[in-house]
């Protein structure tokens, strides 16, 4: 069920008065979802989630028009819920996002397991509108809500030996039917170099469009790295490991000649089978030019100084 | 069972209308905003899938006729083949229109650069002469045997379409090209086996020739 127990809504998530009316809409939508669920029907992907409170606008805004909520929540890849673009929207209602813990371990002084509720109380959340570019050649603009990943690192006190970070997603066949199918090496694993992970743009994301992250978009907590191809932004994260060696991601294991560790959006380095020079923004008919680092070169290009990005794709 | 001309005409009209349903449905979805968040991708995929479906239907006529003895089936084959070409043309149009905004130079560059586009394009180009010679007079002009040899390129087209499909999907969607490859393998495998059964196995001694019992022109 998308939203099973409204009682679980936390003080930190409770809406302010301005959003109260939307909350009423949410309750109606949740009721509709519950009926659909009890009839064995797939819950509507567009059921609106709980509004998030304590959200501040950040400097990360864009002049570009955000992709409609409907598109963001009905189109995407989340292979744990099925192979098609609409599978997550149809199947992710089975994901239970409470209780949820994130275990942080490895090269840290204070290994911890955080409950998602506690993480949400760390401080104000930020709304950041980022471009999002999939390796397949489509893109969107999403107003995400989250906090910098460096907050996690700060809470566990990483050591000097933490050179990379490994992210592990949930792989529960009860909730994620396609984890039984060996489409990829489950659980989904992604990795970042420590400087990429600590970069201020790297967002631990808990919401979008003012609301709690809808299940199909990687609830309750996911990464968003706007300058990388979308698959680097791991969803439904349960474990974060600070490590010495470069982790091997699920995609690197699946097709090493097509997917590398860095996966920077780069119009000049084609995918092995298709060009990356252009992209189709959801909602647009004609393609637009893909920007180096997805338009974030000014902020992130320095992370890769001296590296041959053709080799380190 | 033999069909009267009238029955056959009714059957053909029915089949014609049925074969238009996917296109009509797609048109309806396009007009009612029902193609999802990425309409161009959906148009391309849908027309590609239907091209392949009609290719397989066309290729299944001969085995079906042989297995059931219903010879009138052959008279539906041309229409099915032309529908493969029809959906192939729609598929190609979405490609040149939405991928390249009708810029032929850009399209040709793409054809040369991306192998999955190369094979898809080759399959489409090979369909053109088949569609162009799909009327009775063309058979007479070419002569039945030459016409038939030309139209055997449908086997190559089927293989190219399969390769096209394999090369464009990510590993997570591999089940679809696998399924189409299996269906094509059954349809082509049946033909290979028939050929072996009728003509082979050939004797090892080169001087001894097999006796030809059946006129090759009867093969489709």
């Amino acid at each position: 069920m998308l939203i099973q127990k409204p009682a679980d809504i936390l003080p930190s998530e409770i809406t302010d008065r301005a959003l109260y009316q939307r909350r009423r809409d949410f309750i109606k939508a949740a009721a509709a979802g519950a009926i659909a669920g009890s009839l064995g029907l797939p819950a509507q992907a567009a059921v609106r989630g709980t509004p998030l409170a304590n959200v501040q606008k950040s400097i990360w805004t864009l002049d570009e028009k955000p992709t409609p909520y409907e598109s963001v929540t009905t189109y995407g890849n989340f292979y744990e819920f099925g192979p098609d673009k609409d599978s997550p929207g149809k199947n992710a209602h089975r994901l239970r996002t409470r209780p949820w813990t994130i275990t942080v371990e490895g090269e840290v002084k204070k290994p911890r397991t955080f409950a998602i509720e506690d993480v949400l109380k760390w401080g104000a959340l930020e709304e950041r509108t980022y471009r999002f570019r999939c390796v397949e050649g489509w893109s969107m603009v999403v107003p995400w809500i989250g906090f910098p990943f460096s907050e996690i690192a700060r809470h566990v006190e990483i050591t000097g030996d933490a050179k990379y970070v490994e992210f592990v997603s949930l792989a529960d066949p009860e909730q994620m039917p396609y984890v039984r199918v060996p489409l990829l090496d489950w659980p989904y694993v992604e990795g970042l170099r420590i400087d990429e992970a600590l970069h201020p743009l790297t967002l631990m994301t808990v919401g979008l469009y003012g609301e709690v992250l809808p299940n199909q978009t990687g609830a309750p907590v996911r990464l968003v790295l706007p300058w990388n191809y979308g698959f680097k932004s791991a969803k439904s994260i349960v474990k974060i490991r600070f490590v010495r060696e470069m982790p091997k991601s699920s995609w690197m294991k699946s097709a090493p000649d097509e997917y590398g560790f860095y996966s920077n959006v780069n119009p000049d380095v084609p995918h092995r089978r298709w060009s990356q020079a252009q992209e189709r923004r959801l909602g647009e008919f004609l393609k637009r030019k893909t920007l180096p680092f997805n338009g974030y070169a000014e902020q992130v290009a320095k992370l890769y100084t001296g590296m041959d990005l053709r080799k380190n794709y | 069972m033999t069909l009267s001309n009238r029955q056959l005409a009714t059957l053909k009209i029915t089949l014609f209308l049925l074969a238009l349903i996917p296109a009509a449905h797609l048109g309806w979805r396009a007009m009612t905003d029902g193609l999802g968040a990425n309409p161009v991708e959906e148009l391309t995929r849908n027309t590609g899938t239907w091209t392949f479906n009609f290719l397989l239907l066309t290729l299944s006529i001969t085995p079906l006729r042989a297995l059931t003895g219903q010879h009138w089936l052959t008279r539906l084959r041309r229409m099915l083949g032309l529908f493969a070409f029809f959906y192939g043309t729609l598929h190609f149009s979405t490609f040149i229109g939405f991928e390249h905004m009708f810029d032929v130079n850009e399209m040709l560059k793409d054809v040369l650069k991306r192998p999955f586009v190369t094979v898809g394009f080759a399959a489409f180009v090979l369909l053109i002469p088949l569609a162009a010679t799909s009327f009775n007079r063309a058979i007479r002009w070419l002569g039945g045997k030459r016409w038939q040899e030309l139209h055997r390129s449908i086997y190559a087209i089927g293989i190219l379409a399969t390769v096209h499909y394999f090369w464009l999907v990510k590993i997570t969607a591999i089940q679809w090209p696998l399924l189409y490859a299996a269906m094509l393998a059954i349809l082509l495998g049946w033909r290979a086996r028939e050929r072996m059964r009728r003509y082979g196995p050939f004797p090892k001694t080169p001087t001894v020739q097999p006796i030809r019992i059946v006129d090759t022109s009867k093969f489709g």
Side-chain angles (χ1 to χ4, degrees), chain B residues 81-101:
Chain B
L82 282 171
F83 268 108
F85 181 66
F86 169 69
Y87 283 101
T89 307
L90 289 180
H91 185 58
F92 176 72
S93 304
T94 57
F95 163 67
I96 186 171
F98 292 121
E99 294 289 316
H100 299 296
M101 299 141 209

Side-chain angles (χ1 to χ4, degrees), chain B residues 12-32:
Chain B
K12 276 187 171 179
I13 291 166
T14 313
L15 187 67
F16 182 82
L17 294 174
L18 282 175
L20 278 176
I21 288 175
H25 185 229
L26 199 62
W28 171 254
R29 286 169 64 201
M31 285 188 302
T32 56

Side-chain angles (χ1 to χ4, degrees), chain A residues 9 12-16 19 22-23 26 49-53 210-212:
Chain A
I9 297 166
S12 60
E13 292 178 38
I14 287 173
T15 177
D16 59 36
L19 290 169
R22 278 180 80 193
R23 186 162 176 219
F26 152 67
T50 319
L52 278 167
E211 308 170 353
V212 166

Side-chain angles (χ1 to χ4, degrees), chain A residues 71 74-75 77 79 83-85 135-136 138 183-184 251 254 259 273-275 278 280 282-283 285-287, chain B residues 37-41 43 45 97-99 101 113-116 166-173 175-176:
Chain A
S71 298
T74 56
Y75 187 91
N77 293 319
Y79 293 116
D84 299 317
K85 294 285 178 297
V135 72
E136 297 168 344
W138 54 272
L183 297 172
L184 285 171
W251 281 108
S254 160
Y259 304 98
R273 290 176 289 148
W274 57 80
S275 160
Q278 292 181 310
R280 181 169 287 112
L282 295 186
F285 269 85
L286 298 181
K287 292 191 157 186
Chain B
N38 195 345
V40 174
E41 180 195 48
L43 278 175
R45 280 178 58 159
F98 292 121
E99 294 289 316
M101 299 141 209
K113 235 163 78 181
R114 296 194 283 168
F116 90 87
F166 268 106
W167 280 351
L168 72 91
V169 299
K170 292 207 292 186
I171 191 83
T172 43
Q175 69 277 19
W176 295 111

